[in-house]
Amino acid sequence: MSVWKLVKLNFGNNPAHFGELGIGMEETSDRVRSDSLFSAWVSNYARMFGKDAVEKLLQLFPTKEHPELIPPLRISSTFIYREVEKDGNKNTIYYLPRPLKFPINYPDDDLAFFKTYKKLNYLPLKIWQRWYQGQGFTEDDKNELENHREDKPEGKLATAETFNYKKACKTHQLPKIGIDRVTTATNLYHTGFVHFASGDGSDKNTAGLYFLVELSPEGEKLADKLQAALHLLGEEGIGGERSSGAGRFTAQWLDLPKIWQEVVNFKGGKFHTLISLFWDSNLQPDFLNNSSYEIQERGGWIVESQIRRQMVRMFSEGSVFTSSLLGKLVNVKPKEFTKHEIYRSGISLTLPINTKEEKDNDNCC
């Protein structure tokens, strides 16, 4: 029997730089994907407990050579949460990626509101659960999306903070000077940083990132060590520009709130939607039948060298499949790098959902 945990990352006033392939230093993502989180977490696990301990940990995960193994932990990508105060009560809003299939009861005549719907890349958990595990899309939802005004949002979707995802953080660019080590020539460049709402000023609402963890019985035995490594990661920082103090956080390791227990234990789902990246070397030809998915290229540099890791293509969060696979670690060590193996995590984490009737599911949304 596996155990689920929810981990909240509070960045306080610390900025962060989360790079993505192809966006350059001047831009930053607002979150960290599961493979990057896994790599950073395991690296700090190695720093705390040594080479033998981390090799023993990695040997527990399924790979191309050992697909039969059950991973000790499966993690989602990080997503935004907001602590919103209304009428003296503080409520936590967890955002999830909108699955790439239309929700239950989604109407065919959507031209009047489809542009507004399309912009909802992330949904509050309350709305996500209703649309994909509950009664589904309603006539009130349709009317609210048709008449939505950013300056005066009204209705159940607005009350659930559906349209306020961008209030969680702000991004800015910071000018920096690079100095050539040989010629001492200087070069001006800009780096993008994201700041999560910290409750300063007139807006007392706060925000940060969260992710889900599913621990196997073997993973539960390692929980204390994993938490210690995560604490060290918080002190060191996650993402880029850590030498400037970016990416530092404090972590809360929590039991699942009631609504999350309902979501992960939902039994009526015919589909599975990814909340992590996913890679597998042995997909059957029919796996993609009736699926809706996007592909994300993952690359980057090896930390201790100026050599790039091998590129790997993974299914991205929000992709929807008719079945759920565990995924595997993929070895991305380039031939010219000989110090040790380098793994990226394609271990998947999914949630069960229902979608609009199959005969209508001709298009990815």
Side-chain angles (χ1 to χ4, degrees), residues 76-131:
S76 74
S77 295
T78 63
F79 304 108
I80 279 177
Y81 74 86
R82 297 177 61 227
E83 301 280 2
V84 179
E85 189 169 337
K86 288 184 178 180
D87 301 324
N89 297 317
K90 184 164 276 190
N91 186 29
T92 303
I93 311 295
Y94 297 100
Y95 289 90
L96 275 175
R98 175 173 55 81
L100 295 178
K101 281 186 180 290
F102 292 118
I104 304 164
N105 298 327
Y106 185 87
D108 294 326
D109 55 331
D110 65 350
L111 290 180
F113 63 86
F114 181 72
K115 285 186 177 180
T116 304
Y117 171 85
K118 188 77 171 180
K119 293 178 181 178
L120 301 178
N121 295 318
Y122 298 92
L123 299 173
L125 181 59
K126 181 179 178 181
I127 300 302
W128 187 98
Q129 182 188 36
R130 175 163 67 81
W131 280 7

Side-chain angles (χ1 to χ4, degrees), residues 56-324:
K56 185 177 179 181
L57 173 65
L58 291 174
Q59 287 171 4
L60 298 174
F61 286 88
T63 61
K64 185 177 181 179
E65 293 75 22
H66 299 283
E68 75 285 354
L69 297 175
I70 302 298
L73 79 156
R74 303 163 71 186
I75 61 174
S76 74
S77 295
T78 63
F79 304 108
I80 279 177
Y81 74 86
R82 297 177 61 227
E83 301 280 2
V84 179
E85 189 169 337
K86 288 184 178 180
D87 301 324
N89 297 317
K90 184 164 276 190
N91 186 29
T92 303
I93 311 295
Y94 297 100
Y95 289 90
L96 275 175
R98 175 173 55 81
L100 295 178
K101 281 186 180 290
F102 292 118
I104 304 164
N105 298 327
Y106 185 87
D108 294 326
D109 55 331
D110 65 350
L111 290 180
F113 63 86
F114 181 72
K115 285 186 177 180
T116 304
Y117 171 85
K118 188 77 171 180
K119 293 178 181 178
L120 301 178
N121 295 318
Y122 298 92
L123 299 173
L125 181 59
K126 181 179 178 181
I127 300 302
W128 187 98
Q129 182 188 36
R130 175 163 67 81
W131 280 7
Y132 289 96
Q133 293 184 341
Q135 69 180 110
F137 199 88
T138 66
E139 189 68 21
D140 287 342
D141 296 331
K142 175 183 176 181
N143 294 334
E144 186 173 350
L145 290 176
E146 284 182 357
N147 300 299
H148 174 65
R149 290 174 50 187
E150 291 189 4
D151 62 329
K152 193 177 181 182
E154 296 178 348
K156 293 182 179 179
L157 297 180
T159 301
E161 301 288 327
T162 303
F163 307 105
N164 291 335
Y165 176 84
K166 292 183 178 180
K167 290 185 177 181
C169 59
K170 295 181 179 179
T171 60
H172 75 277
Q173 292 184 358
L174 184 68
K176 293 201 167 189
I177 298 292
I179 302 177
D180 189 282
R181 294 180 180 179
V182 178
T183 66
T184 69
T186 59
N187 177 51
L188 176 67
Y189 66 99
H190 290 78
T191 301
F193 289 93
V194 57
H195 277 268
F196 295 97
S198 58
D200 294 341
S202 59
D203 186 359
K204 299 303 180 183
N205 299 331
T206 60
L209 297 177
Y210 79 93
F211 63 95
L212 298 180
V213 181
E214 184 183 16
L215 296 170
S216 72
E218 190 67 29
E220 281 191 87
K221 299 175 184 177
L222 300 171
D224 289 343
K225 289 185 175 181
L226 290 169
Q227 289 186 61
L230 186 64
H231 177 74
L232 177 60
L233 177 59
E235 292 182 342
E236 294 291 322
I238 190 169
E241 300 296 311
R242 295 189 300 277
S243 60
S244 302
R248 295 177 182 173
F249 62 83
T250 56
Q252 288 181 280
W253 186 280
L254 306 171
D255 293 331
L256 285 188
K258 181 180 178 181
I259 186 172
W260 275 111
Q261 293 179 31
E262 295 172 353
V263 167
V264 302
N265 294 318
F266 179 64
K267 301 300 182 184
K270 298 179 180 179
F271 292 88
H272 300 265
T273 184
L274 284 175
I275 56 172
S276 69
L277 296 178
F278 166 59
W279 180 89
D280 200 308
S281 58
N282 191 32
L283 294 179
Q284 299 302 313
D286 61 349
F287 178 73
L288 297 181
N289 290 350
N290 203 25
S291 298
S292 297
Y293 58 88
E294 290 181 348
I295 300 293
Q296 178 77 27
E297 289 189 340
R298 306 298 290 164
W301 298 92
I302 300 172
V303 174
E304 65 264 45
S305 74
Q306 294 299 311
I307 302 174
R308 277 194 173 275
R309 298 187 292 262
Q310 290 186 36
M311 188 78 67
V312 61
R313 303 176 80 230
M314 297 184 177
F315 293 101
S316 65
E317 306 94 337
S319 297
V320 178
F321 306 104
T322 55
S323 60
S324 177

